[in-house]
Amino acid sequence: MEKWRCVVCGYIYNPEIGDPESGIAPGVLFEELPDSWGCPECGAEKELFEICSEDDDYGIY
């Protein structure tokens, strides 16, 4: 499962965790998130996320 990073604030969306505060259950892939979903940290739109490479180490999640 690919993780996605918000280019605005650095929040990592991890599909193994989901986004419980927004009602997104674990196991929901980034591509399956509704278009209305946004970064829970800064509110950035979904299109402002990029795939994290395996070499990225942000020290979280």
Side-chain angles (χ1 to χ4, degrees):
M1 294 184 157
E2 293 177 321
K3 297 176 184 175
W4 290 71
R5 182 178 65 87
C6 175
V7 299
V8 176
C9 72
Y11 169 82
I12 305 292
Y13 176 76
N14 182 345
E16 293 179 7
I17 297 170
D19 181 9
E21 292 181 15
S22 297
I24 307 297
V28 175
L29 300 176
F30 185 82
E31 297 86 349
E32 298 171 337
L33 293 171
D35 291 337
S36 60
W37 182 85
C39 178
E41 295 292 320
C42 72
E45 295 180 359
K46 185 177 170 184
E47 46 273 351
L48 293 175
F49 278 71
E50 62 187 12
I51 297 173
C52 294
S53 74
E54 291 295 320
D55 296 330
D56 290 342
D57 182 14
Y58 297 100
I60 55 174
Y61 301 102

